[in-house]
Amino acid sequence: MGVRLERTSRLFSIHKKLVDTIIDGANKALELLISGDRDVIEVMTMTLLVSGVATTISVLLGVPLGLWLALEDFIGKPVLNSVVNFGMGLPPVVVGLVVSLFLWRSGPLGDLDLMYTTTAMIIAQTIIAFPIVAGFSFAAILSINPKLRWQLLSMGATPWQAHWLLIKEARLGLIAAIIAGFGRVISEVGASMMVGGNIKGQTRVLTTAIVTEVEKGNFEVAMAIAYILLFITYSIVVSLTILQHDKKML
């Protein structure tokens, strides 16, 4: 009986400590945001810069590729499509390793001196997000009536006009592709640490900052940064979702 009570007491203590960490983390997050903590603002800005640029490049490359794959028939299309699908599940740490091999001083791109820079992080995150955006875009365009393109062309629309109208028609799926790509890169840790080095004031982002604080044993601060990351991610996703369902976009 005494052993059982001791075990129960210990479990209660662990649960209480967990709840206290979660609550204290939320309070700490508010404190850091309200006070405008310099380090936190710096890390937030770096996160938005790297993930924002990587997502933008992925969209500029991935949407046209998805459109092309969905509308054109050519030799090797199934192979290319399978490569895109395979890329959607690429482990970020593997991407980080490959990019590192290219950017190390002994690598083919070593002379560019990009290792442990935000540019290296953007490259890695773009490689991670690009196939996701392309794959979702491909599926979004395929969901449209295949005859619509030919109807638009027969009505006098140029190929560019037809493609733009198809993009507008498939906007629900295309914005979902953007959300998926953004969500993948802003939550990414492995590749960012490998190619960026998690250098304070230079390449540290919110995810790598969480890892750093956990390693120090500062769980309250780590939880606070996690709350900030979730808040930023949710705010951007909500904005994109509102845009996705905006009737004016029709």
Side-chain angles (χ1 to χ4, degrees):
M1 188 70 176
V3 174
R4 187 176 297 176
L5 286 173
E6 182 181 350
R7 185 179 300 173
T8 302
S9 176
R10 186 170 60 182
L11 287 174
F12 178 78
S13 177
I14 292 173
H15 291 162
K16 184 177 184 302
K17 185 176 181 180
L18 176 61
V19 172
D20 288 343
T21 300
I22 293 173
I23 295 174
D24 291 343
N27 293 332
K28 185 67 175 180
L30 287 174
E31 178 187 328
L32 292 172
L33 290 174
I34 292 173
S35 65
D37 185 86
R38 182 179 177 181
D39 289 339
V40 171
I41 298 300
E42 192 174 68
V43 174
M44 287 172 59
T45 303
M46 184 62 63
T47 301
L48 291 172
L49 171 65
V50 173
S51 298
V53 172
T55 303
T56 301
I57 296 173
S58 300
V59 170
L60 293 176
L61 296 176
V63 172
L65 177 59
L67 186 67
W68 181 58
L69 283 174
L71 299 178
E72 302 296 334
D73 290 320
F74 55 89
I75 298 175
K77 178 177 177 178
V79 175
L80 182 56
N81 192 29
S82 66
V83 170
V84 171
N85 289 335
F86 171 71
M88 294 176 70
L90 275 178
V93 69
V94 174
V95 174
L97 174 61
V98 173
V99 174
S100 296
L101 292 174
F102 274 85
L103 297 184
W104 278 118
R105 290 194 178 277
S106 57
L109 301 178
D111 291 339
L112 297 177
D113 199 23
L114 295 177
M115 195 64 181
Y116 301 135
T117 64
T118 54
T119 301
M121 296 170 67
I122 290 171
I123 292 172
Q125 290 195 7
T126 298
I127 294 173
I128 293 169
F130 164 65
I132 295 175
V133 175
F136 274 76
S137 299
F138 172 72
I141 299 298
L142 278 185
S143 67
I144 302 174
N145 188 333
K147 296 181 180 179
L148 179 59
R149 182 193 182 196
W150 300 112
Q151 290 175 348
L152 292 171
L153 293 173
S154 66
M155 294 172 63
T158 65
W160 283 105
Q161 289 173 329
H163 290 168
W164 175 246
L165 290 172
L166 287 174
I167 288 174
K168 291 185 68 175
E169 188 70 20
R171 83 185 192 287
L172 291 176
L174 293 176
I175 294 180
I178 298 172
I179 292 173
F182 173 76
R184 181 71 182 276
V185 295
I186 199 171
S187 61
E188 194 283 318
V189 181
S192 295
M193 293 193 74
M194 292 185 72
V195 303
N198 194 23
I199 304 171
K200 184 177 180 180
Q202 296 183 38
T203 59
R204 181 167 295 176
V205 291
L206 288 169
T207 50
T208 58
I210 292 173
V211 174
T212 299
E213 295 303 329
V214 169
E215 290 176 345
K216 293 179 180 178
N218 298 331
F219 296 105
E220 179 185 317
V221 178
M223 199 69 213
I225 298 174
Y227 275 117
I228 293 171
L229 175 61
L230 290 173
F231 173 74
I232 291 174
T233 304
Y234 180 73
S235 299
I236 293 175
V237 169
V238 166
S239 300
L240 289 172
T241 303
I242 292 174
L243 180 64
Q244 185 181 41
H245 294 280
D246 188 354
K247 299 297 182 181
K248 295 179 182 179
M249 293 291 292
L250 290 171

